[in-house]
Amino acid sequence: MDEIGLIQSAKKGDLDAFNRLVLEYQDLAFNVAYRMMNDPAIAEDITQDAFISAYRKLNSFRGGSFKAWLLRIVTNASYDELRRHKRRPTTSLEPINEDDEIESPVWLADPGESPEELAARGELANAIQNCLEKLGIDFKTVVVLVDLQGFDYTEAAATIKKPLGTVKSRLARARLRMQNCLQGFGELLPAQYRLENESTV
Amino acid sequence: MTPQIPPRDIKNLSAYLDEQLPERERKRLEARLAEDAILRRVLENLRQTRNALRSVPQVRAPRNFTLTPEMAGKRNFRPRLFTSMQLVSAMASFLFFMVFFGDMIFNVILPGSLPASQPEVITIAEADGESEAEGETVEMDLAAEDSAEESSRIGESVPAEAPAPLAAAEAEFTDTDAPETEELQTESQAEAGADDTTSQAPEAGQAPPGVISTPTIMLESEPDESLALSTPIYQTTPSITAEPELEATPTISITEAEPPASGKEIPWLRIIEGVLAFMAVGSGVSAFIFRRLSRAL
């Protein structure tokens, strides 16, 4: 069944149809939440809550891109969680990445790579995640959607409910800040990703 | 040195990388890139940054996020149905027992007292209205007994013709074994007296209040005696068959015919009881089934 048919069935209360949509989009939703939050446990909670919320609000979906509509729920939930964390900052007692291989999502991806390549990609992923944390929420969202998840500008604009020009300007500024941030990691990054040791602004 | 580039150029370069720049702006930017080395370097750095970001591996979801009926809020329907069925069962049971015990009280415990009281009331009502003679004779008989001595004292208020029928009736009431000839005479006298008393009944009723009230009390409390008081009068008189006093007998038969009228209501009561019992049991079983189903899910 096509996506529109599944959505119509889910609107009529067919939970199985909605769960097929969940299986289709759960990786994307979890990735966005994980990149936004940098915490797999919180990302899990956000993703589950987002799907529950999406099912309950399904009648408010008036057509268009279901992916954009669903990820708007995920990003809004991430915004709420980030604001809550800002008000009440917490520190995890357990290491998330280096020493805890199971918790690190790096080890879940692309098993065909060599250990060196994997380590290099792991280093780069950690560096990018650190730089993402330094961005503001609005810039981070656009970078995650366009550069990390491969959305086009129109989908990103629909997801954050902003004009196309806003997406362009936010993305340009976010890339520039990421570039400046990643230059600080220098030799830690793989050779093909090393930037010239100059800032452009 | 850090090259200074306007934010507008950065925005255009970023959009140019993603092929999101309009055709005219794209050509203009390409012309500038051909001439400006700094602009080309900035563009290259942006491309590397974008490639670095796009090289970040996608993460698989650690588990499925499919929704269960409980998560979707679908389970709330059954407990509501289950509790409502329980409520219906309880209400039907209560109403059933109310109707059942009410029926028992009126049909099993009270039937001895209910038919006994009704006939007397009706016979008295009938006797007062239709056959005054019967009532007069009863009043006359009892009045003769009670006010035999008082009559001399109340002689002024009691009419002068009253003693004759009273005496005749008294003789009639006491001497039931007397010969027929005498009975006929006394009966004719009694009839004459009765006619007199009927004409003067209000006077007899007004004169001694206690005299009139006494027979009604006795009739209500002892119904058999009322029949015993009235029947001997008619049995001893041969003219009973033709006289209007016989109309007293149909009044008794009317009172006896009432039970079938009340019997028509019994099937309705049974039907109501049956429906309530069915509702109580049915809804109770349904509540049990829904409860088990809600636990299983």
Side-chain angles (χ1 to χ4, degrees), chain A:
Chain A
M1 191 182 286
D2 61 336
E3 185 176 285
I4 296 171
L6 289 174
I7 293 167
Q8 292 303 323
S9 298
K11 276 185 175 180
K12 293 173 185 171
D14 186 352
L15 190 58
D16 291 335
F18 183 78
N19 280 335
R20 287 175 67 183
L21 292 167
V22 171
L23 293 173
E24 178 71 23
Y25 288 109
Q26 64 181 3
D27 284 338
L28 176 63
F30 178 76
N31 268 280
V32 170
Y34 174 70
R35 294 301 173 195
M36 295 288 289
M37 303 305 301
N38 194 27
D39 186 328
I42 295 173
E44 237 180 277
D45 292 343
I46 287 174
T47 307
Q48 187 68 79
D49 291 345
F51 280 122
I52 292 170
S53 180
Y55 182 77
R56 290 177 180 167
K57 294 177 183 173
L58 200 56
N59 285 324
S60 68
F61 175 65
R62 304 292 179 200
S65 171
F66 180 74
K67 183 169 82 169
W69 181 79
L70 177 65
L71 287 182
R72 184 158 66 241
I73 296 173
V74 175
T75 51
N76 285 340
S78 301
Y79 286 169
D80 293 342
E81 191 65 25
L82 283 169
R83 288 192 194 103
R84 200 173 65 81
H85 270 255
K86 274 188 178 178
R87 286 196 299 268
R88 298 173 186 174
T90 56
T91 305
S92 176
L93 296 173
E94 297 175 4
I96 294 174
N97 286 326
E98 275 86 4
D99 301 327
D100 194 343
E101 295 178 358
I102 299 207
E103 289 291 330
S104 173
V106 172
W107 300 99
L108 299 172
D110 207 358
E113 290 181 310
S114 66
E116 291 79 13
E117 288 171 335
L118 204 60
R121 287 171 69 87
E123 292 294 336
L124 177 65
N126 289 336
I128 287 172
Q129 193 64 54
N130 282 327
C131 291
L132 279 174
E133 293 303 306
K134 293 173 184 173
L135 291 178
I137 294 175
D138 294 336
F139 297 107
K140 180 157 69 172
T141 306
V142 176
V143 168
V144 168
L145 291 176
V146 176
D147 282 338
L148 272 67
Q149 303 303 324
F151 280 40
D152 61 34
Y153 285 20
T154 309
E155 284 179 322
T159 300
I160 64 172
K161 268 194 162 179
K162 295 288 180 188
L164 207 62
T166 305
V167 173
K168 283 183 185 176
S169 61
R170 282 185 184 178
L171 184 62
R173 291 169 67 185
R175 281 174 174 168
L176 199 59
R177 290 183 189 185
M178 287 296 291
Q179 177 187 312
N180 292 337
C181 176
L182 287 172
Q183 281 177 345
F185 287 87
E187 296 297 322
L188 292 174
L189 299 179
Q192 68 269 30
Y193 301 122
R194 279 177 206 159
L195 305 175
E196 293 180 22
N197 197 16
E198 284 183 4
S199 175
T200 53
V201 178

Side-chain angles (χ1 to χ4, degrees), chain B residues 69-233:
Chain B
E70 193 177 13
M71 287 176 182
K74 284 193 167 183
R75 199 181 170 183
N76 293 337
F77 177 69
R78 282 198 175 84
R80 260 186 245 152
L81 189 62
F82 147 69
T83 48
S84 62
M85 295 300 278
Q86 270 189 330
L87 185 65
V88 169
S89 177
M91 288 179 68
S93 302
F94 176 74
L95 288 173
F96 171 75
F97 283 112
M98 289 287 289
V99 172
F100 181 74
F101 284 116
D103 185 26
M104 273 187 62
I105 288 167
F106 283 107
N107 287 331
V108 178
I109 299 171
L110 294 179
S113 61
L114 197 62
S117 61
Q118 281 180 345
E120 280 82 29
V121 174
I122 290 165
T123 49
I124 289 165
E126 294 289 330
D128 289 340
E130 294 177 1
S131 59
E132 289 179 357
E134 185 185 352
E136 302 304 331
T137 52
V138 170
E139 288 173 4
M140 186 175 57
D141 296 341
L142 296 170
E145 288 179 356
D146 294 334
S147 61
E149 295 175 356
E150 292 177 2
S151 59
S152 59
R153 287 182 295 163
I154 315 170
E156 293 177 1
S157 62
V158 176
E161 294 135 280
L166 284 171
E170 188 175 358
E172 188 180 297
F173 184 70
T174 51
D175 299 330
T176 51
D177 296 330
E180 290 185 355
T181 53
E182 290 178 8
E183 286 178 8
L184 286 170
Q185 289 175 354
T186 52
E187 183 59 33
S188 61
Q189 289 175 357
E191 285 177 17
D195 292 334
D196 294 333
T197 50
T198 50
S199 61
Q200 296 177 358
E203 292 178 7
Q206 287 170 1
V211 172
I212 295 170
S213 62
T214 310
T216 55
I217 293 166
M218 288 177 67
L219 284 170
E220 286 178 2
S221 60
E222 295 174 4
D224 294 335
E225 288 183 13
S226 70
L227 293 173
L229 285 171
S230 59
T231 48
I233 297 169

